[in-house]
Amino acid sequence: MALIVQKYGGSSVADAGKIKNVAQRIAATRDEGKQVVVVVSAMGDTTNYLIGKALEITDRPDLREFDALLSTGEQMSMALLAMALKNMGYEAISLSGAQAGIRTDATYSQARILAVESKRVVRELEKGNIGIVAGFQGITDEMDITTLGRGGSDTTAVALSASLGAEICQIYTDVEGVYTADPRLVPEAQKLAEIGYDEMLEMASYGAGVMHNRAVELGALFNIPILVASSFTQSPGTLIHGGASMEVRNKVRGIAHDLDVAKVTMVGVPDRPGISAAIFQPLARAGVSVDTIVQNASIDNITDLTFTVAKSDLTKAMEVVEPIAKSIGARECVSDSRLGKISIIGTGMQNTPGYAARMFGALSELDINIQLITTSEIRITCIISDTEVKKAVRALHRALELEIPE
Ligand code: ASP
Ligand code: MG
């Protein structure tokens, strides 16, 4: 029997009425004769509420206990949803991450899935049950509860899909799919019918909030088709897949933006082997995740080195690099915490020159100063002032004619 994995996000299960709506949708899939495994997020803002509770006790919660606390949000949803289905006369059983065999490393709050031991889930499916699995959580070899990072239920769903050999992983959320830009910012943004894994990974990693980037990565690795669609409508959504996109008219598929960027520049850095390692190894040990890194070409063996981090990591990053700057004889460290980034993404850009020029042209018309530029084969990113990101997204969407339907 064909197996489908469905994931419902926090806003789709925010209250009893919405949980009952989700139960109806699951029942409809079951009635089509499919085996169904459902992954749920915590109801609405529950995860933020739980984080707030921890911070009322201490501003540095113990990491193991923090994950034990956060995992309860998803457990609430799984039990309520299983009750709703049983109440409608369907066989269903809730399973925590541990019960569903989601094995992770022991990096609390950012754990990575090492394996999915899905024997229990398979057994329940064979008994005729719909499996309702708590997303965002797993268990270590020591049987300690971990969580996968904010938005991690998507990753649970794709990992289960791979392990169970699901025909598709359907991610249901409060938007109707993946858009050419955030539709809250750009009303004329277009929903994409399909997008490749590579493009989606860049979109998710560079700020498009629709999906957890590790979920896309896993989807690509195991070639799991992923559908992103709304749990409130019957609209067809966006299919993320491995096949090449059809010959699309517009080589840019979308614009991603992120308002959470801070930058650190180490000025007057002696240019000799080992310097970058001396800076970035301690940052990694301190758990600071570094995004863009740019080193200038050196003049007289002196260079400047710039990197970006999330705004919330800036203080920690400065605490780490200031003493290093002194010890290696750099002139000073300066930071800017009011930045954002805007990226244009599309596989087709690889073979079509001119997109960088169009992007820079559109920003220059708005008199926006570009602070850093980085690229991949299928992405161009500009780091600019955070106050200018919104108007830049709108202008760029127009300049690249993304409002024209494909
Ligand atoms: N409940 C978690 C969060 O809010 C995980 C998720 O929603 O995927 O981040
Ligand atoms: Mg969520």
Side-chain angles (χ1 to χ4, degrees):
M1 202 188 306
L3 168 73
I4 289 189
V5 172
Q6 299 186 331
K7 178 255 173 178
Y8 291 92
S11 49
S12 303
V13 293
D15 56 38
K18 291 185 174 138
I19 290 178
K20 289 180 189 169
N21 165 57
V22 162
Q24 298 280 0
R25 298 179 69 108
I26 297 166
T29 310
R30 185 75 184 120
D31 290 345
E32 287 165 18
K34 311 271 189 194
Q35 285 186 324
V36 193
V37 172
V38 177
V39 173
V40 277
S41 289
M43 295 169 70
D45 266 342
T46 304
T47 306
N48 289 334
Y49 166 83
L50 292 169
I51 293 172
K53 284 290 151 204
L55 296 178
E56 282 174 21
I57 301 286
T58 162
D59 53 7
R60 280 180 184 258
D62 177 85
L63 292 176
R64 179 185 181 280
E65 305 312 328
F66 191 63
D67 278 14
L69 175 68
L70 294 200
S71 69
T72 62
E74 272 67 12
Q75 291 177 27
M76 215 166 123
S77 308
M78 75 181 191
L80 292 171
L81 183 55
M83 284 177 201
L85 279 159
K86 284 180 195 247
N87 205 37
M88 291 165 57
Y90 287 80
E91 316 263 344
I93 185 167
S94 71
L95 297 166
S96 68
Q99 290 172 315
I102 312 288
R103 314 298 301 237
T104 73
D105 65 16
T107 320
Y108 293 111
S109 292
Q110 277 302 333
R112 296 186 77 93
I113 297 178
L114 301 175
V116 180
E117 286 159 10
S118 49
K119 285 192 299 280
R120 174 72 190 272
V121 179
V122 171
R123 213 160 60 230
E124 296 301 339
L125 292 173
E126 282 167 356
K127 281 196 243 166
N129 273 315
I130 299 168
I132 313 285
V133 178
F136 174 59
Q137 58 184 269
I139 193 129
T140 68
D141 288 345
E142 300 290 317
M143 304 292 279
D144 289 319
I145 298 172
T146 53
T147 65
L148 309 180
R150 296 307 304 267
S153 298
D154 292 342
T155 302
T156 306
V158 179
L160 269 169
S161 302
S163 165
L164 296 166
E167 67 182 55
I168 189 166
C169 179
Q170 301 173 333
I171 306 278
Y172 289 107
T173 169
D174 53 1
V175 293
E176 295 201 341
V178 181
Y179 284 75
T180 50
D182 184 340
R184 286 166 302 187
L185 267 190
V186 185
E188 62 276 19
Q190 298 290 311
K191 186 169 73 187
L192 298 167
E194 46 93 30
I195 186 169
Y197 293 122
D198 297 351
E199 292 170 323
M200 191 60 216
L201 188 57
E202 297 270 15
M203 292 282 277
S205 305
Y206 283 81
V210 266
M211 255 193 95
H212 203 219
N213 55 2
R214 278 181 17 232
V216 184
E217 219 170 70
L218 276 183
L221 199 59
F222 293 98
N223 206 15
I224 310 289
I226 301 170
L227 177 79
V228 179
S230 166
S231 64
F232 301 110
T233 69
Q234 297 296 333
S235 165
T238 302
L239 186 68
I240 309 169
H241 61 87
S245 288
M246 290 295 120
E247 186 67 36
V248 282
R249 183 189 57 80
N250 202 324
K251 310 287 184 209
V252 175
R253 304 304 309 289
I255 303 177
H257 74 277
D258 181 356
L259 292 166
D260 185 18
V261 181
K263 134 185 128 163
V264 176
T265 302
M266 206 184 271
V267 185
V269 183
D271 189 10
R272 54 170 198 262
I275 289 286
S276 291
I279 297 167
F280 292 106
Q281 282 169 357
L283 280 169
R285 275 199 296 276
V288 175
S289 156
V290 173
D291 183 30
T292 302
I293 302 175
V294 181
Q295 185 188 311
N296 296 352
S298 68
I299 298 173
D300 296 333
N301 288 323
I302 297 289
T303 184
D304 297 335
L305 201 136
T306 300
F307 61 89
T308 63
V309 295
K311 286 176 177 165
S312 56
D313 272 346
L314 179 60
T315 313
K316 211 198 295 179
M318 285 298 272
E319 280 167 17
V320 172
V321 296
E322 279 186 315
I324 299 173
K326 280 213 179 68
S327 73
I328 61 178
R331 185 138 48 84
E332 60 172 341
C333 287
V334 290
S335 67
D336 184 344
S337 63
R338 293 181 312 272
L339 298 175
K341 64 188 163 198
I342 168 163
S343 307
I344 63 174
I345 292 148
T347 3
M349 293 197 304
Q350 296 181 86
N351 309 316
T352 316
Y355 279 98
R358 280 170 78 182
M359 181 178 194
F360 305 151
L363 295 179
S364 109
E365 263 173 39
L366 293 173
D367 217 17
I368 291 174
N369 183 37
I370 302 172
Q371 302 217 14
L372 291 174
I373 300 169
T374 70
T375 63
S376 79
E377 277 172 19
I378 66 166
R379 172 184 49 81
I380 306 169
T381 300
C382 293
I383 293 182
I384 61 180
S385 160
D386 58 7
T387 56
E388 298 187 306
V389 166
K390 290 184 179 169
K391 69 175 179 195
V393 174
R394 290 194 196 105
L396 211 47
H397 200 273
R398 232 172 296 125
L400 297 170
E401 300 178 333
L402 289 171
E403 76 282 5
I404 301 173
E406 292 189 324

